[in-house]
């Protein structure tokens, strides 16, 4: 039975869902589950939800909890990373400091100023995990869910020998949404996607061999898109391929919405761009954690549904040898998507078999889609360079790639913003940046 | 229900096996099966075995037969190619003319002089099929089983817009054989392979996560390898990875066996190299065809077992959307195996899903394995260049890559052999080579 | 003696300078010079200045004039292209239509909306020249000076078999300017540059083996940069490498200046960005042409100095075999600058010898410089795709890459601007775009 | 004035020629020349010939001699490497041990068994030089003349940060020879070549723009090739491009001559293949050294002619900034010759300017030429892997690439030969191979 280690297990809802998937699998129902968190209260809650889930599913895992990370890693086959460095407070800074320069964001966890600094504060911690793995469980797979995902996979791949893949459900839920738009059953819809995480596009969309794009175009052109997906719908109209992730994310991935207006009015209003959305989610997560604790104490039941997280799919396929198809983030090598950088971390379909995860070579992206994506890839590369080479200038160069910064700031202000962020996030930044954290 | 067209259906044993696989699949049991052959007698036999198989499996396919290829292709979803150009007589020439120069071969259908000329006589015919497909069923997949496989996939990919993959069971049976050596159940053994068709290597071999190579090394070192696999066993000892295909093939893929001896004696004898093996198989196939006809007429039953041919796997996965893992031959693009030529046709694992066949990026081959393979890749490229560019010199250059020619002939004799072959195979060669065939 | 054909010879000042260079070379003083223009008056003036130059230099060229392009091309060794499609009027449209959307530009001939449409109206004409060359002088070199240079080299390379290089003096004059800043003799300064045309960077700058960048940094930091070069100086401070071309160009190549202000004031004013500069130059060129005619008629002398245009250098080196070093724009092939697109036209040093022009492999650009350049490369690729594939959407996608458009328009307005430009430039656009021109 | 260090200065004839070139250059006549050798007698002789040369050329260099290598390297701008590890005795072993297995060679210093072992004994010493340079003169260029050249450039490039180029006059003398065949002046002939060292081909050969290949073909076809160049002439007839280096080398670079015969007789005799040629040269070099000493003592004069060695050309061009064209061996990077391995050391034209040596991107080799070369590239890669990774198996894999071994040995004998060589050359091999040398 494989040993599956959850780093950041205190994200209890994710832990519940992931264990729901794992323990529903006949091949994994007796798996060895090791939970790690640095917060004892959250770790205790994670253990309770884990044991509740096992009982509810009639599964017989071995469950252990560890405040010591290295102890958790001992004998690991799979290490699932879901940590958040800096938590709610750091996220608040990611929004507040840019706001002083007049910049508004929706999510701020992937690219842009927020993505750069989430990267800078998270890279050293994740490298610490990977280096522990090199010592303790060098053959284990690191399955990373933490954002900024592409940056972290790239940093681990470049700086350590640990096998790592980045996992994200954004493609899964995009296809789900499109099936819903067209009134189709999700599992009858086949989709192929390629790009980088949160910046991929659906390249093919079929229902039993029939191309669905004409129907989808008719749906969008008829104005039937829900308000919360208008940004992606417009990008689809102009680019010809549907973007993955979500409209709230894409609103800050390009220069076309935030701070823009035309004869039809202000784009933020018209496209229902939810400025500050991620701050609401952070608050909601805290509430949800409190509610989960309350329910556990009250002995109230939870709902368990297979969530389709790929960590369970990978563990199952590698254990049984039965092939599975996932979406995976892995180093490009110039091979998976030849017209993106060789050292980019790209998102493509992947085959899982008994030997591991094998990303699929997808060929070049249509040129205009590549053009939409390149800024994100450069931002990722420059953030990794900054962190690994301790290159302060590269932070400014990464901030220069932010389309919101580009649309609204001068070059001097972009630099002032960079320095202001370094100061405001010192608590979580490494010492070479004058920060108080390790690394 | 997909329409599956068998070109060269008169290879009745293959047709029986393939239909056995297809009609055993619940998703394909009512498939539309179109049989084509240019030989009316063989086509009639193929139809009878097809109908017998359907009945035996309680399946309800639509079966049609076509002497006219274009008629067969109408509405095709999958076109399975198993033709042999020149048949038994051309194969005889492939052995006889080199023998006049003192050269001995075992199979002669993949590389070397025989591979070059099998390529030259087959490329125009297969391009004819692909060009018919461009007109009649441009979205259909061409599933090519015919040898020289890599040459044909490369020629079709370069000269037409048809999606083509090459399918071969040599990896499958290699893993089967190795499992047998180690006393393991075949379906518990996981293997990853990479290279070019008939020249791939098993890069990983595991039983439930345990590396099997130490056991296999012990098996070989103990002298337990059967006589018919001594060539691959020695290559494994020297190269560290087990070659796919078979010992009789590899004996002519390198300079180390045929015509060689050392203190231990003559290598052909010592390694049980079956010179002329393919001629025996050709004779056996003719006998088998006669026996099949006799059994059909006598109403005797056949055995049906799933043969694991990937054509059925592909049709099933693309029809149902359930993912499958196969081994596939596809254009490298510099991406699948970065240290082989970008325009090589390489053999790697592949993911099949509802949208198609997606080859997996395998990373660079160990350098000494790449070195073992390169001559074959160049031979394939030069043969394709000769055929597509009508470049007679390139035929000589292709013959120059043959390790048997290299070991035994002068450069002048290599050229004389080339010209002798062009003369002797004129019946099947295109007119630009002075031949009597089309193209 | 080589035959050198000047297409667009009516750009009389350029013609004078180029002939000054050519006829000063001992190896070329009797060259066969063929002048072509579609404007008889300009052609006549070009001939007079050519003859005047020959006399002044005591050279003995054969000079011919041709209103018929194909006649001019007969027997050509080198074809120098300096045409302008649409002339002053089209340039005015390039500024006026975007201005209706609130967009300001300085030069508008390389990237952005103006670059896209200059490309669309020029590509068919230059392809016409190259196709004439394929028929009439297939071995001749096409030396292209016309803008948008990278787009034209790329279109000719992709659509024809003609050998083409793009030539531009922007690197030459950048190094000249930097030498002047540092009080050094220009010919004692060694510089290596790489990038794409007008978007290259000086990667090394040395005086007799001594790195000049510390001195240049001190010069800039001391505020000694002249007003007309403040944009490049700031980019140098932030990026660490000096950009080539000029400050007026770079002001519109990125989002940092036009329409931007910060606490220090409006960036256009502060950095002395000359909005509409190119319109002034166009007017000046018309004046200069009139003045040249007047001087010729009055028999007044001109000044002749070697201008360092590389067309003469190439003709001389290929004629004599003596090697020369130039800066050249050529197809990347993934090789010259590996981290720019394989099908980009890049600008790198080049070796000229008796056999031709050989671009030098420069290795990857520093990542943040590549990030600065990529938008231009995508704009070039999308414009070429639009023109060659007759893809109207690709025009919008090309306009989407313009940093000025990105900073100031919504996506809908970007599309409206695109359509407005197609309408306003119909006179010079090909018929597939509803235009009145050929192609 | 640059400091030029000669490592292995005791190769006195080379030292005389190189100093003749350097001191003839006005820019270098006062250069700082540091001579190093480990043999005091040879070093003293080198100094005497150096001083004699300076006087003869009326030059005023600073000449110093150093038995201590690190002292010689102090302040170096250029380090010229011409060492021979193992000298005449090791060369004798390179011939004698293979001879015991029936193998005959001509030169044995580039590829094949001799090349592998020359590589294994020389790599550690040259890496020692490069590592000293990293400490003492990290910005100096290493100009390597020592064989096996490609292997050494590759090892230094991979294992150190020193800038290194490999220099060889084989292309120069090939062009010289072809000009002579055609009765032309050498400096009027333009040639472009590409490949790997000793395995390059003349891709273009022109006299003032006229293709010379038809004339050369006529020359060869008429049987006018001298006896000492018959191998290359036949390769030219079959491959269509003239090989560089010489016939005696090529005779052992392919399987077509040594040990081969056909109706026309034994190929070694017919093509005048000088078996053991290099042993004669080694003996001759010893005689020449003795004669040089005698002449110095007798005060007899030497002849000085510019030899065209590129080390002097590089030093001159980098000192003056005047561009020069050389032929250079440098790491491919996938860029210089895209269809050879990315980590091959390839031989292409190069531009030298004030900043350094810039290899030219030559595009893909014709496929059949690449096929001729690949075995050598793999042999080089495997030898480097063996030395840097201390991988004994890789030595066997390198020996497996030798066409002479391939033609004549079984796989077991190839392995026995490998082990016999390791034993016989222990004196010069590193300790990880059981040898007595450092590294």
């Amino acid at each position: 039975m494989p040993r599956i280690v959850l780093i950041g297990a205190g994200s209890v809802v994710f832990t519940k869902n992931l264990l729901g998937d794992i323990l529903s699998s006949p091949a994994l129902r007796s798996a060895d589950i090791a939970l790690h968190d640095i917060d004892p209260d959250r770790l205790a809650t994670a253990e309770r939800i884990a044991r509740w889930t096992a009982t509810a599913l009639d599964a017989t895992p071995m469950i252990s909890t560890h405040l010591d990370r290295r102890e958790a890693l001992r004998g690991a086959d799979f290490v699932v990373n879901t940590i958040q460095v800096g938590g709610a407070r750091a996220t608040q800074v990611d929004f507040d400091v840019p706001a002083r320069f007049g910049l508004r964001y929706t999510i701020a966890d992937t690219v842009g100023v927020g993505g750069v600094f989430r990267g800078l504060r998270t890279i050293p911690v994740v490298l610490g995990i990977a280096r522990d793995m090199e010592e303790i469980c060098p053959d284990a797979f690191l399955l990373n869910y933490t954002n900024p995902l592409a940056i972290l996979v790239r940093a681990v791949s470049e700086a350590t020998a640990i096998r790592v893949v980045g996992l994200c459900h954004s493609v899964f839920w995009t296809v789900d949404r499109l099936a819903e738009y067209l009134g189709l059953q999700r599992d009858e819809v086949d989709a192929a996607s390629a790009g980088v995480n949160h910046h991929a596009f659906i390249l093919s969309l079929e229902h039993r061999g029939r191309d669905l794009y004409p129907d989808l175009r008719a749906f969008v052109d008829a104005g039937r898109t829900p308000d919360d997906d208008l940004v992606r719908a417009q990008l689809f109209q102009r680019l010809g391929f549907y973007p993955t992730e979500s409209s709230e994310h894409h609103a800050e991935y390009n220069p076309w919405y935030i701070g823009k207006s035309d004869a039809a009015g202000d784009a933020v209003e018209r496209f229902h761009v939810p400025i500050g959305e991620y701050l609401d989610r952070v608050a909601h997560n805290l509430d949800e954690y409190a509610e989960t604790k309350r329910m556990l104490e009250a002995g109230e039941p939870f709902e368990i549904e297979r969530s389709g997280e790929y960590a369970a799919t990978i563990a199952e396929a590698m254990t049984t040898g039965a092939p599975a198809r996932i979406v995976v983030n892995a180093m490009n090598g110039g091979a998976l998507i030849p017209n993106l950088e060789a050292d980019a971390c790209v998102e493509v379909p992947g085959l899982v078999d008994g030997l591991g995860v094998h990303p699929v070579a997808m060929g070049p992206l249509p040129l205009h889609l590549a053009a939409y994506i390149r800024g994100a890839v450069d931002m990722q590369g420059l953030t990794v360079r900054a962190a690994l080479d301790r290159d302060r200038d590269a932070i400014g160069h990464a901030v220069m790639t932010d389309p919101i910064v580009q649309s609204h700031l001068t070059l001097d202000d972009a630099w002032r913003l960079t320095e202001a962020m370094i100061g405001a996030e010192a608590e979580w930044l490494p010492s070479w940046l004058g920060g108080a954290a390790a690394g």
Side-chain angles (χ1 to χ4, degrees), chain A residues 16 19-25 29 47-61 63 296 299-305:
Chain A
K16 173 174 72 83
L19 288 182
D21 291 342
I22 290 172
L23 301 178
S24 300
S25 160
R29 58 190 300 279
E47 181 177 11
R48 290 175 69 180
I49 198 98
R51 295 202 184 278
W52 184 91
T53 306
T55 304
L57 290 169
D58 207 17
T60 55
I63 294 173
L296 281 167
E300 294 177 17
F302 299 85
E303 240 175 297
I304 297 181
E305 20 182 353

Side-chain angles (χ1 to χ4, degrees), chain A residues 104 254-262 265-269 403 407-408:
Chain A
R104 293 177 291 162
N254 62 60
W256 306 115
Y257 301 95
I258 295 176
K260 286 293 183 60
S261 61
D262 58 19
D266 178 74
V268 164
E269 281 177 34
S407 288
H408 297 97

Side-chain angles (χ1 to χ4, degrees), chain A residues 339-409:
Chain A
N339 61 341
L340 293 184
E341 293 286 274
D343 49 8
C345 169
V346 298
E347 187 172 271
V348 292
L351 164 70
V352 196
D353 63 16
L355 296 166
V357 179
H358 310 285
V360 148
M362 289 297 287
L365 275 180
L367 179 53
H368 61 299
L369 304 187
Y372 182 84
I373 286 176
R374 288 194 214 289
V377 175
D378 286 328
M379 170 271 177
Q380 292 156 7
L382 289 163
T383 303
V384 171
R385 291 270 56 78
L388 298 187
D389 304 346
R390 306 191 167 194
D391 178 350
R392 193 178 189 111
D393 283 346
I395 304 175
H397 299 150
V399 168
M400 281 176 69
T401 66
D402 181 349
I404 306 302
V405 168
Q406 290 184 350
S407 288
H408 297 97
L409 300 191

